[in-house]
Amino acid sequence: MPYRAPLKEFRFLFDHVVGLERVTSTDRFADATPDLVEQILTEAGRMCEEILAPLQRAGDAEPARLENGVVRTSEGFDKGYEAIASGGWVGMSADPAHGGMGLPMAVTTAVNEMMSSACLSLQLCPMLSQGQIEALEAHASEALKDLYLPKLTSGEWSGTMNLTEPQAGSDVGALKTRAVPDGDGTYEITGQKIYITWGDGDFLPNVVHLVLARLPDAAPGTRGISLFLVPKYLPTEDGAPGEPNSLRVVSLEHKMGIHGSPTAVMEYDGARGWLVGEENKGMAAMFTMMNNARLGVGVQGIGVAEAAYQHALAYALDRVQGKAGGTGTIVEHADVRRMLAGMKAEVHAARAIALMTAVATDMADATGDAAWAARAALLTPIVKAFGSDTGVAVAQEGVQVHGGMGYVEETGAAQFARDARICTIYEGTNGIQSMDLVARKMTDGGEAAFRLIDEIQQGAEAARPREEALAQAVWDAAEALREGTEWLVSRDEMQDRFAGAVPYLRAFARVLGGSAHLTSALAGGAGRRALAAVYIERLLPEHAALLAQLRAGAGGLFALSLDDLAAA
């Protein structure tokens, strides 16, 4: 089934739910007029439908491979990437001083979702470049910016992030990669990094790696980590790719999904690198890229969910099976209708949360308001975890809608489930995102969370005259979330917080989604109201069970000894 860009959904959410006009009314983003945004979304949607979507199955059937040290990419990916780069889609939110469009992150988020729906394996390449651009804009020297940002922003060169090592996964502080000063302002980088997405590609003239490494005599743990820019080819004076640097792709991982995306093991053997930011402050610089990527990964999950939903709906509208009224197709069966309605409601909620996060980021950038920055920080782990969980759940439901045919690779339904699974793992597992939410994001005593809950309840109060039942359900859920948050911030024992972190994050997302659906019901027609009822009546009640898990604490988990956990 051909992919169709959900342009009406983006327009509706921008205009009626997330308040894009607040962003475009600032001086920073005043050029992003409604007409311009409309043109951008339309052109990006056309590219995704006509150029990227046909590459989805090819990337799965013909994975990237390593041949004699050269990464050979899937057929057609070179043309697809050329369309992305030539259209300016890599540098949408980048600084115009280096060739970017300077668009709001909210618009970039919409385009990234469409690209993820069309071909996730290929979209991973520009997404990582976008994160690197943001990190370099914030932390690199002017010389590095002038040399690298125009190439990265145009998409001529691509960027990666190198954190993980065989012994240092989530515990980044355990890394062993070394950086030795050369005495001329550069450093020799030596070590091995794993899981490097788009570590190389045969259509990329140069690949710019951001590598975490440790200087001699640096402190242990994350306090002693620095960040370095290490290009595959050393640029010449005129900025062209010059001599090869001392690095190579050792191997490519054989993965469950995203086969078209080369995931490399990288080896650095005295490779020449340049310091980004200050010595021993590498994690702060890398977090700029990681936070960009966490929003991006949540959006990837939503993109896969949208594509899986469209695929399942098309099948359900065509498949005749059993005794059903109306069209005679399986969409007339109540259980199939339940699955499809739930899938659509989940995608709408997750998409709204992603755009809320992007709008908060834009407002923080445009105004410098600490409250907006706090909101963006609070929402980032939520959108990463809930967006990627939604991708997995909706893709799995899509397989179920197909029945036995969903388990057959030729239908394409299984690929969505396989591709989406990585989104819950990389850029910090969803458990780590949840721990971040209940720990670092609550150091303000929950102030940012309570402020958001207040707004949700105010919106529900305003909705009562038109939607009493739906409004009451959202208000009650928000009040339960408030009480859960109060319990959470009162816990000094972090294990109690961490034990309930995942259910708390999901409960927060459920309430945010309910609020977005309620707003949509007020602004839209009967269809919007019906979809809101599906979410609020059938999915939102999950928040109560999740918050009960939050309050259970850690004691019961650790009451199980290791012997108790052992297999029989």
Side-chain angles (χ1 to χ4, degrees):
M1 176 258 176
Y3 167 71
R4 290 292 175 260
L7 301 181
K8 290 182 180 179
E9 292 297 307
F10 290 122
R11 295 182 193 115
F12 180 84
L13 286 168
F14 282 154
D15 292 343
H16 302 293
V17 179
V18 302
L20 182 63
E21 75 281 353
R22 290 178 296 185
V23 175
T24 57
S25 65
T26 65
D27 292 340
R28 170 76 178 273
F29 297 113
D31 291 339
T33 63
D35 287 346
L36 178 61
V37 171
E38 174 71 14
Q39 181 182 0
I40 287 168
L41 293 180
T42 300
E43 289 303 314
R46 182 179 296 115
M47 175 193 68
C48 291
E49 292 174 356
E50 298 177 0
I51 300 176
L52 301 190
L55 303 176
Q56 166 81 348
R57 297 295 288 147
D60 193 57
E62 301 176 13
R65 63 194 187 280
L66 185 64
E67 290 183 351
N68 300 318
V70 178
V71 174
R72 303 295 184 189
T73 53
S74 305
E75 183 176 358
F77 271 35
D78 55 344
K79 300 299 184 184
Y81 184 80
E82 181 182 354
I84 295 170
S86 63
W89 306 118
V90 179
M92 286 180 287
S93 290
D95 191 339
H98 297 106
M101 295 187 190
L103 289 169
M105 181 58 68
V107 178
T108 296
T109 295
V111 174
N112 282 345
E113 187 206 302
M114 291 188 284
M115 289 197 289
S116 299
S117 292
C119 186
L120 177 60
S121 289
L122 182 55
Q123 188 270 343
L124 276 158
C125 187
M127 187 203 78
L128 286 169
S129 294
Q130 289 170 352
Q132 186 175 116
I133 288 166
E134 186 171 335
L136 294 179
E137 285 179 348
H139 302 285
S141 67
E142 292 303 317
L144 288 180
K145 290 180 186 180
D146 290 343
L147 179 56
Y148 286 93
L149 283 177
K151 302 286 190 180
L152 291 164
T153 300
S154 69
E156 181 178 350
W157 296 354
S158 70
T160 74
M161 57 193 304
N162 286 233
L163 291 81
T164 308
E165 299 180 9
Q167 79 294 337
S170 299
D171 182 13
V172 178
L175 66 82
K176 296 180 179 178
T177 298
R178 305 186 311 277
V180 178
D182 267 344
D184 61 356
T186 64
Y187 299 78
E188 291 184 3
I189 312 299
T190 301
Q192 189 177 93
K193 297 288 184 178
I194 62 173
Y195 303 150
I196 309 308
T197 301
W198 278 96
D200 204 356
D202 51 6
F203 58 77
L204 299 170
N206 204 359
V207 181
V208 183
H209 302 282
L210 283 187
V211 183
L212 290 178
R214 197 179 302 282
L215 291 164
D217 303 321
T222 57
R223 292 179 299 127
I225 295 176
S226 301
L227 182 63
F228 300 89
L229 183 153
V230 187
K232 177 182 177 180
Y233 294 106
L234 299 171
T236 61
E237 290 185 2
D238 60 0
E243 296 180 0
N245 210 346
S246 299
L247 57 89
R248 68 187 183 101
V249 177
V250 175
S251 62
L252 298 182
E253 303 291 355
H254 299 280
K255 308 186 296 292
M256 176 180 177
I258 56 169
H259 293 153
S261 170
T263 304
V265 175
M266 299 295 305
E267 183 174 83
Y268 298 88
D269 185 13
R272 192 175 183 188
W274 285 259
L275 181 69
V276 175
E278 300 179 33
E279 292 186 358
N280 304 319
K281 298 290 180 65
M283 285 305 297
M286 183 59 90
F287 262 115
T288 300
M289 184 173 186
M290 290 172 67
N291 281 329
N292 179 292
R294 284 169 176 173
L295 170 58
V297 168
V299 169
Q300 288 179 340
I302 299 163
V304 175
E306 172 66 34
Y309 168 71
Q310 291 189 21
H311 203 73
L313 177 62
Y315 182 81
L317 290 170
D318 183 67
R319 173 67 166 162
V320 176
Q321 184 77 15
K323 295 181 179 179
T327 64
T329 59
I330 63 172
V331 76
E332 303 295 350
H333 292 284
D335 186 59
V336 174
R337 189 68 67 96
R338 174 192 62 81
M339 289 189 284
L340 292 170
M343 293 164 76
K344 187 173 181 64
E346 290 281 43
V347 172
H348 183 78
R351 179 180 288 135
I353 294 170
L355 294 178
M356 289 176 199
T357 308
V359 164
T361 301
D362 288 329
M363 291 301 294
D365 289 344
T367 67
D369 188 332
W372 278 114
R375 176 160 301 186
L378 178 79
L379 290 173
T380 294
I382 296 175
V383 70
K384 193 280 179 185
F386 186 69
S388 57
D389 280 345
T390 297
V392 171
V394 171
Q396 290 287 0
E397 199 83 309
V399 173
Q400 195 71 15
V401 170
H402 282 76
M405 291 304 296
Y407 205 68
V408 177
E409 287 288 350
E410 283 76 7
T411 66
Q415 183 185 347
F416 295 123
R418 290 186 287 101
D419 285 353
R421 193 63 185 84
I422 187 58
C423 297
T424 65
I425 297 171
Y426 58 15
E427 301 312 327
T429 65
N430 287 358
I432 287 176
Q433 302 304 314
S434 302
M435 293 166 69
D436 176 54
L437 176 64
V438 303
R440 186 179 294 111
K441 299 307 190 295
M442 294 294 168
T443 55
D444 62 353
E447 180 182 343
F450 291 131
R451 189 181 304 118
L452 187 51
I453 292 168
D454 287 343
E455 291 184 18
I456 292 170
Q457 290 189 313
Q458 290 163 10
E461 288 288 356
R464 285 187 190 278
R466 292 178 55 191
E467 293 290 351
E468 171 64 30
L470 298 183
Q472 185 64 52
V474 171
W475 194 97
D476 289 343
E479 185 62 18
L481 180 62
R482 179 191 303 280
E483 294 169 358
T485 306
E486 290 170 347
W487 182 93
L488 179 73
V489 298
S490 72
R491 312 315 322 176
D492 293 328
E493 175 52 57
M494 293 307 294
Q495 287 287 57
D496 282 337
R497 292 194 187 194
F498 292 157
V502 168
Y504 174 74
L505 183 148
R506 186 167 182 83
F508 212 132
R510 275 280 173 249
V511 175
L512 287 167
S515 178
H517 270 287
L518 179 59
T519 303
S520 297
L522 297 176
R528 297 283 181 189
R529 199 273 173 196
L531 189 66
V534 167
Y535 187 93
I536 294 171
E537 295 172 357
R538 297 171 182 269
L539 302 178
L540 179 59
E542 182 187 6
H543 80 276
L546 292 166
L547 292 172
Q549 292 181 57
L550 166 69
R551 288 187 173 87
L557 300 177
F558 287 94
L560 285 167
S561 69
L562 295 181
D563 287 339
D564 294 330
L565 290 172

